[in-house]
Amino acid sequence: MTISIDRQKDNHQRLQPNGWLRYFSFSLDHKVIGIQYMVCGFLFYLIGGTLASAIRIELASPMSDFLPRDVYNQFLTLHGTIMIFLWIVPVVNGAFGNYLIPFYVGARDMAFPRLNAVAFWLIPPSGLMLIASYFVEGAAQSGWTAYPPLSITTPQSGQIIWIISVLLLGGSSIFGGINFIATIIKLRRPGLKLMQLPMYCWAMLGTSLLVVLSTPVLAGTLILLSFDIVAHTGFFNPVLGGNVVVYQHLFWFYSHPAVYIMVLPAFGLVSEILPVHSRKPLFGYTTMVYSIMGIVVLGLVVWAHHMFTSGTPPWMRLFFTIATSFIAVPTGIKFFNWVATLWGGKISINSAMLFSCGFIINFVFGGITGVALAQVPFDIHVHDTYFVVAHFHYIVYGGTVFIIFSSIYHWFPKVTGKMLGEKLGIIHFAITFIGFNLCFAPQHWLGLNGMPRRVAEYDPQFQFVNQISSIGALLMAISTIPFLVNIFLSVRNGKDSGDNPWNALTPEWLTSSPPPVENWEGDAPLVVEPYGYGDSFSQKNKKI
Amino acid sequence: MLNKNIYLILIISCVFGISFWIGFNVNLLPAEASINAPIYDELFKILFVIGLIIFIGMTLAVIYSLFKFKRRKDEIGDGIALEGNLSLEIIWTLIPSIIVLIIGIYSYNIYDRMGGMKELNHSHEMMSSNNEKIWAGISQSSNNDIANNNLSVEVSAMQFAFLFNYPKGEFISGELHVPVNNKVSMRMESKDVIHAFWVPEFRIKQDIIPGQPTILNFTPTKIGKYPIICAELCGPYHGGMRASIIVEDESDYKDWFNKNKKTEVDL
């Protein structure tokens, strides 16, 4: 089987352009696809960030004076959709997953290279279509949740384009998920056991299970919603006897696991980064694996905590409170284990390490507000307020996006063979960390004191705190400048990194940087102790 | 060794002390104006203190590690080859489980005191039929309490306004007037999209859903004027969808009611 794959690949490679043009082609190389995901995702991050800046400018004053009201709603819808479906999900899953997973399992490519390329090439057109809908008749304006009946009554073209775009992105995500499961289960190098895999493989296995189990539900729901919009069916339209709360159940059955689709891979990535830079084995490998799987199972049965005010029966509220609270246990284990990994190490304080530690601090904060939000009586006051906005930005930005940056600093030498500048990296971290906390910490107070989310205007007494938040957002926007300058300078004339600048033991570093097309010159190495750092291990983990 | 333990105990008690002090002295919440509010604030304080202890503790541990275990210049070699510690891992599985369980039971108790677990009912003369499907909200009172004595209001929400129908007086108002310390029972329904009824000072919120009436009961305790805020995105003017609730003493409320009523009833 490997032979036929190799031959197919050879044929294909002959048809491909060389050099940088490869990155604009239908390449089957998992490394090229990973970079395509990364760069494409980052471009959408810049667009989503621009929309966020527009939102924060509007909110710098209590009146609705910067954007027209319907455009404001379009911006917040696009901001959420772009950041989730075009930046975080494709990057933590697609970019790092494609680049790293074949190395980690000792394969030369993913299990289904063509499916892999299709999964990537669904993203740019659907993203562009989503943004283009703004110029047609206005983009969707019912929020990224698209609750009916609002999504049925707002202008149709934008909402339909939004649905088609999200369906394509969901398809891309499912293709990717199937590919990761197949690669991790079936393409492992002979002799490599599951419990010897680097933690990111486990995270991707769990994430892909969630993708495959829950994304089809979202797809079905959105198809029904589109019928309601164009064919005037009555699934969710109360005028025709439909039930709007059923939509919320179906939507959150995907969209809560979607949170784990966004954070579990980040948990995997940080588990790779911390041991390398603190020169210690990952603390508690086995409990880490079990806690990932625990989060996957629990993550599927907590969705109704988004609906405590929607009219759910009391027993259901109770069940979802308890189930949601218990997610804190496996998540807590992971955080204690990471701190224990730092403890007693020889820590190099560099940009990758700082972003990872920033992640721990931000995520612990977001996790604590999450446990609070899981309690029905607590949630009833703050649901749909800025408290919730602050909470999930602590999870997805303070958590996942911090890890994306940390990972870029960590794996940039692998991908390019050049080091990123440390000074600019630390400046980037400092501005991001301060800006992020300045932007989102005050929003907890706003929510508790009476500012609902998704509003273009608010009471004048909230102006001062909103302005602090907007200054934080400005800092976050500025923080991308040192980052981009750093990337540009390094690609132009960065310091040569050598093959393994961090002296890491995971298999992707046991080849040249950048790696050859077939990943290794000879056979793939058998790495049974991917975290064998520490003095007593020094001789144990040689390249085989 | 003894010294180390003393420092550890000292630091832990400092973290606890600071957390308790902040939790009980920093007020992040608006005024309390309903029976629900003090109960909610009690829960908030407990969660705030527990959250602070965990957050400060974890942050200190990370920052301490970064300073204490920093690699010095031209230092080579690795850290200790510690791959795990089963008893430690069991401890930090069990303790969070217990904390989470206690929080869950406690918040259940809070929710019960707020009336969330009670059978919902709405005392209403104009209730359409007995088998009408009514969805949950917060109920402040048991079936017996609700019998006669409390105030019934029908709320209808539409883009972008709330209307309050007082069936006893057969009139509709744009402001919600209620007498202080009286139970208010509201039956809410939306005319178009989903809205939500939120009064921050009362710590209550309930979505108003088209085609699916919801119930919300509360008892205001403080005279004053409070905002009613729509919390569910409902269209371009969502941010401007506001109304006021005016809590006044019994006689003021009677005057207002008698001025507006259409039919001859006495309160």
Side-chain angles (χ1 to χ4, degrees):
Chain A
M1 186 172 140
T2 35
I3 295 166
S4 68
I5 288 175
D6 283 352
R7 193 172 301 144
Q8 275 183 14
K9 224 176 144 181
D10 282 348
N11 285 337
H12 191 84
Q13 233 105 48
R14 248 176 275 134
L15 302 170
Q16 272 185 44
N18 287 322
W20 60 271
L21 271 177
R22 253 180 331 149
Y23 296 102
F24 294 89
S25 74
F26 194 81
S27 174
L28 301 187
D29 184 350
H30 70 100
K31 299 182 286 299
V32 174
I33 295 175
I35 293 162
Q36 286 174 327
Y37 266 111
M38 183 74 234
V39 174
C40 173
F42 194 80
L43 292 176
F44 282 115
Y45 170 64
L46 293 180
I47 296 170
T50 311
L51 295 170
S53 309
I55 291 171
R56 281 316 320 171
I57 293 170
E58 171 68 70
L59 291 176
S61 69
M63 297 313 297
S64 168
D65 45 16
F66 177 65
L67 296 166
R69 287 162 197 275
D70 57 332
V71 174
Y72 179 84
N73 284 359
Q74 293 171 27
F75 274 26
L76 66 86
T77 305
L78 285 179
H79 166 73
T81 313
I82 288 173
M83 289 304 202
I84 292 167
F85 292 110
L86 292 160
W87 156 241
I88 292 180
V89 171
V91 169
V92 281
N93 292 277
F96 295 110
N98 273 300
Y99 202 94
L100 297 172
I101 293 290
F103 281 110
Y104 283 172
V105 299
R108 302 208 185 273
D109 207 324
M110 297 284 286
F112 311 116
R114 271 166 223 281
L115 188 67
N116 204 15
V118 171
F120 168 72
W121 281 107
L122 282 174
I123 291 176
S126 41
L128 290 177
M129 191 165 75
L130 182 70
I131 291 159
S133 71
Y134 173 77
F135 301 99
V136 183
E137 233 180 85
Q141 44 180 296
S142 52
W144 85 279
T145 48
Y147 277 7
L150 184 64
S151 50
I152 299 174
T153 54
T154 45
Q156 287 185 359
S157 67
Q159 198 64 49
I160 285 292
I161 295 175
W162 180 88
I163 289 174
I164 295 171
S165 167
V166 172
L167 284 176
L168 290 175
L169 293 167
S172 156
S173 187
I174 294 172
F175 294 163
I178 292 169
N179 218 340
F180 287 127
I181 294 175
T183 308
I184 295 167
I185 300 291
K186 298 306 282 185
L187 280 198
R188 284 197 318 283
R189 182 199 189 288
L192 186 62
K193 297 192 183 74
L194 274 174
M195 290 306 272
Q196 295 166 340
L197 288 171
M199 195 53 62
Y200 182 59
C201 292
W202 281 104
M204 283 308 296
L205 191 60
T207 308
S208 303
L209 287 172
L210 283 177
V211 166
V212 171
L213 288 174
S214 63
T215 317
V217 178
L218 176 75
T221 315
L222 292 183
I223 289 169
L224 295 184
L225 183 65
S226 71
F227 287 166
D228 275 9
I229 295 171
V230 292
H232 306 290
T233 53
F235 295 107
F236 308 123
N237 190 346
V239 180
L240 301 170
N243 188 324
V244 296
V245 180
V246 168
Y247 173 88
Q248 298 179 12
H249 278 295
L250 293 169
F251 178 83
W252 288 113
F253 185 80
Y254 163 76
S255 295
H256 192 78
V259 177
Y260 300 105
I261 293 169
M262 291 187 270
V263 300
L264 276 179
F267 287 179
L269 292 168
V270 74
S271 303
E272 304 304 330
I273 295 165
L274 289 178
V276 173
H277 296 284
S278 49
R279 310 306 302 167
K280 261 193 72 197
L282 183 67
F283 192 92
Y285 181 95
T286 318
T287 41
M288 292 295 241
V289 171
Y290 287 133
S291 57
I292 285 177
M293 291 306 157
I295 293 173
V296 169
V297 173
L298 281 173
L300 283 169
V301 293
V302 298
W303 73 90
H305 66 222
H306 295 269
M307 302 165 55
F308 284 153
T309 66
S310 304
T312 35
W315 69 266
M316 206 192 248
R317 298 182 181 200
L318 192 65
F319 169 77
F320 283 103
T321 291
I322 301 287
T324 309
S325 307
F326 264 96
I327 285 195
V329 176
T331 315
I333 293 171
K334 298 190 80 67
F335 280 82
F336 294 128
N337 281 359
W338 287 324
V339 174
T341 304
L342 294 175
W343 200 268
K346 289 222 163 65
I347 302 172
S348 315
I349 301 196
N350 51 32
S351 319
M353 195 69 196
L354 285 173
F355 268 107
S356 287
C357 291
F359 153 84
I360 295 179
I361 292 169
N362 293 334
F363 198 99
V364 166
F365 195 86
I368 289 166
T369 53
V371 174
L373 282 169
Q375 314 305 319
V376 185
F378 185 93
D379 181 72
I380 278 173
H381 175 49
V382 291
H383 176 76
D384 267 328
T385 69
Y386 258 84
F387 191 92
V388 175
V389 175
H391 158 72
F392 68 70
H393 281 94
Y394 264 84
I395 299 297
V396 292
Y397 195 100
T400 306
V401 178
F402 268 61
I403 284 306
I404 291 175
F405 284 126
S406 177
S407 305
I408 291 174
Y409 284 100
H410 183 75
W411 278 291
F412 190 82
K414 179 77 247 163
V415 176
T416 61
K418 307 249 173 77
M419 297 298 283
L420 277 173
E422 271 306 315
K423 262 187 196 150
L424 280 171
I426 287 169
I427 293 171
H428 175 211
F429 167 75
I431 304 178
T432 312
F433 189 76
I434 294 167
F436 166 75
N437 281 293
L438 206 59
C439 183
F440 292 109
Q443 292 181 0
H444 293 100
W445 182 85
L446 288 174
L448 286 169
N449 282 275
M451 182 166 164
R453 66 191 281 207
R454 293 167 165 175
V455 291
E457 58 204 297
Y458 54 84
D459 292 348
Q461 84 244 31
F462 298 135
Q463 183 173 18
F464 177 68
V465 178
N466 266 298
Q467 282 172 343
I468 293 178
S469 181
S470 291
I471 291 168
L474 178 72
L475 284 178
M476 284 163 78
I478 291 172
S479 75
T480 47
I481 296 171
F483 174 70
L484 288 172
V485 170
N486 202 349
I487 297 276
F488 179 76
L489 289 179
S490 290
V491 171
R492 257 338 241 314
N493 45 8
K495 204 175 76 187
D496 241 17
S497 66
D499 285 346
N500 190 355
W502 315 121
N503 287 319
L505 298 176
T506 38
E508 83 274 27
W509 296 101
L510 306 180
T511 179
S512 61
S513 297
V517 178
E518 297 293 317
N519 291 353
W520 288 279
E521 293 299 346
D523 283 342
L526 177 65
V527 179
V528 295
E529 289 271 5
Y531 305 112
Y533 304 101
D535 289 331
S536 62
F537 278 99
S538 46
Q539 294 303 310
K540 215 169 162 183
N541 220 307
K542 282 193 162 168
K543 193 173 170 180
I544 300 167
Chain B
M1 206 56 210
L2 186 70
N3 256 344
K4 245 187 180 170
N5 283 339
I6 288 173
Y7 279 127
L8 194 66
I9 290 166
L10 214 68
I11 289 168
I12 290 175
S13 32
C14 269
V15 170
F16 273 71
I18 291 169
S19 304
F20 272 95
W21 190 87
I22 296 177
F24 285 93
N25 285 291
V26 176
N27 182 24
L28 296 174
L29 291 158
E32 298 175 343
S34 79
I35 285 187
N36 270 357
I39 307 175
Y40 180 92
D41 293 8
E42 189 189 314
L43 172 71
F44 183 85
K45 271 188 187 132
I46 300 288
L47 291 176
F48 194 29
V49 170
I50 295 174
L52 278 172
I53 292 170
I54 297 170
F55 177 68
I56 296 175
M58 287 292 275
T59 308
L60 281 181
V62 170
I63 292 172
Y64 176 79
S65 315
L66 284 184
F67 280 99
K68 169 82 181 173
F69 305 113
K70 189 182 168 190
R71 172 185 295 273
R72 279 174 299 265
K73 262 182 194 161
D74 56 67
E75 190 182 18
I76 46 163
D78 283 0
I80 44 173
L82 180 65
E83 282 187 303
N85 181 333
L86 193 64
S87 45
L88 255 182
E89 286 163 58
I90 289 172
I91 288 173
W92 62 51
T93 309
L94 280 182
I95 291 180
S97 308
I98 293 166
I99 294 176
V100 159
L101 203 64
I102 291 172
I103 291 177
I105 292 167
Y106 177 65
S107 83
Y108 168 80
N109 171 263
I110 292 279
Y111 192 47
D112 197 34
R113 280 158 65 194
M114 284 181 174
M117 303 305 290
K118 284 191 184 116
E119 190 99 354
L120 280 170
N121 214 328
H122 182 70
S123 69
H124 211 284
E125 298 85 351
M126 287 164 65
M127 196 129 125
S128 41
S129 68
N130 284 333
N131 53 12
E132 185 185 42
K133 197 175 174 189
I134 292 200
W135 282 43
I138 281 193
S139 161
Q140 191 87 82
S141 39
S142 71
N143 291 347
N144 299 337
D145 289 342
I146 230 165
N148 294 312
N149 210 11
N150 60 350
L151 171 66
S152 295
V153 183
E154 306 223 309
V155 181
S156 41
M158 65 211 68
Q159 289 171 324
F160 299 91
F162 296 98
L163 287 180
F164 305 99
N165 179 17
Y166 287 75
K168 254 190 190 164
E170 286 185 358
F171 67 92
I172 291 174
S173 161
E175 276 180 342
L176 181 58
H177 282 249
V178 291
V180 70
N181 293 328
N182 269 36
K183 284 176 194 123
V184 182
S185 165
M186 300 194 306
R187 181 178 179 279
M188 310 194 287
E189 197 162 3
S190 168
K191 302 262 185 242
D192 38 45
V193 302
I194 305 174
H195 301 277
F197 179 99
W198 179 33
V199 181
E201 283 79 2
F202 291 7
R203 318 281 194 270
I204 49 167
K205 184 183 291 114
Q206 174 60 48
D207 282 6
I208 310 177
I209 300 167
Q212 201 96 88
T214 48
I215 287 207
L216 186 62
N217 298 336
F218 59 89
T219 309
T221 53
K222 207 170 141 192
I223 292 173
K225 186 175 177 182
Y226 308 102
I228 297 169
I229 300 167
C230 174
E232 183 69 57
L233 179 63
C234 60
Y237 288 84
H238 165 55
M241 183 166 165
R242 295 295 189 93
S244 297
I245 177 164
I246 289 138
V247 182
E248 48 202 358
D249 64 38
E250 200 93 23
S251 59
D252 287 348
Y253 171 73
K254 270 184 184 157
D255 291 346
W256 175 83
F257 186 90
N258 289 329
K259 213 169 67 192
N260 284 286
K261 67 183 177 185
K262 296 259 164 60
T263 45
E264 281 310 313
V265 280
D266 273 331
L267 272 184

